[in-house]
Amino acid sequence: MSTKILIIGACGQIGTELTKKLRALYGIENVIASDIRKLNNDVVNSGPFEVVNALDFNQIEHIVEVHQIEEVYLMAALLSATAEKNPAFAWDLNMNSLFHVLNLAKAKKIKKIFWPSSIAVFGPTTPRINTPQYTIMEPSTVYGISKQTGERWCEYYHNIYGVDVRSIRYPGLISWSTEPGGGTTDYAVDIYHKALSDATYECFLSENTALPMMYMDDAIRATIQIMQAPSEKIKIRSSYNLGGVSFTPKEIAATIIKHIPNFTITYKPDFRQKIADSWPASIDDSSARDDWNWKHEFDLEMITTDMLENLK
């Protein structure tokens, strides 16, 4: 019998790719995608889909029971830049959706949970270069505060109730298949779209703002890898640092110019600059590498080549 999986927030930036990959691995009928509304897209049309409000415990519980779900990937969240505009809703969605899933696992209705954290858990007082796994965490955004709190609850539910919850702190994610979703690192997706359509881009971060980034293929691989790892290998139950590549807007522009020689970039930092300045510039992910053999595959040159080819 194959594992039955529920993805909550399946139509988002990560959820879209994750659904596709999990269906390829576990079989279409074993992966139930869900989101707040039914869109006409690949996620909805390629297999079982349920409309689910991540804030409605009874709805989630019902779907878990009907489909005999064993594993839940909780991908529903309000991202950094969007969350700043609606702090109360961001807190409600990011926290209570997590509680619903943790409580289902506590009640033994599901066996395993994946919940994503983020580099947003770090703040202006965190060491910015090679940010360690264990360090000062004083997030200054609503998103970061909710993710930092979520990490503490995941660890608590594991230690006190034996819940098998696994998490990674995603860096900025780059993908060609979905539109940017309101995150501070989204310039690194938007820049490729604009390079192809306009051959110019106005960046909302300054040219030397280094941030940790990762290609979506690597992020999806890490997500599935941590979920498939034997339980005893997962030694950290708050969330694992995950690193890929770190680069600046100036560096990404330089790789684009190799493919599109007439591409130009200008800089007009906005409120997102302050968010970016509070985050790490690079990440030490040696715990993930040691515990469950994580390693990234895509560097910046490979990311740029792949993005431009696919977006064309």
Side-chain angles (χ1 to χ4, degrees), residues 153-259:
W153 279 115
C154 286
E155 190 175 63
Y156 181 86
Y157 268 73
H158 175 74
N159 292 340
I160 305 300
Y161 306 120
V163 168
D164 187 354
V165 58
R166 301 164 183 218
S167 177
I168 49 188
R169 294 171 182 149
Y170 288 126
L173 298 179
I174 300 175
S175 162
W176 55 266
S177 69
T178 46
E179 293 294 312
T184 301
T185 53
D186 277 349
Y187 89 86
V189 178
D190 203 27
I191 192 169
Y192 293 109
H193 287 269
K194 297 288 196 301
L196 287 167
S197 62
D198 310 339
T200 184
Y201 179 64
E202 182 179 273
C203 187
F204 56 73
L205 298 179
S206 65
E207 63 178 356
N208 294 317
T209 305
L211 286 168
M213 297 282 188
M214 181 172 285
Y215 203 43
M216 187 62 83
D217 300 43
D218 277 339
I220 298 301
R221 213 165 36 79
T223 304
I224 294 168
Q225 198 180 332
I226 194 174
M227 284 294 272
Q228 289 180 338
S231 188
E232 66 275 7
K233 295 260 189 210
I234 310 302
K235 301 189 173 92
I236 294 168
R237 295 293 182 156
S238 49
S239 194
Y240 277 92
N241 270 4
L242 201 69
V245 286
S246 284
F247 54 78
T248 64
K250 189 177 176 179
E251 288 168 332
I252 196 173
T255 65
I256 292 172
I257 287 166
K258 291 179 186 174
H259 299 264

Side-chain angles (χ1 to χ4, degrees), residues 60 112 129 187 251:
I60 299 170
K112 203 188 282 187
I129 309 298
Y187 89 86
E251 288 168 332

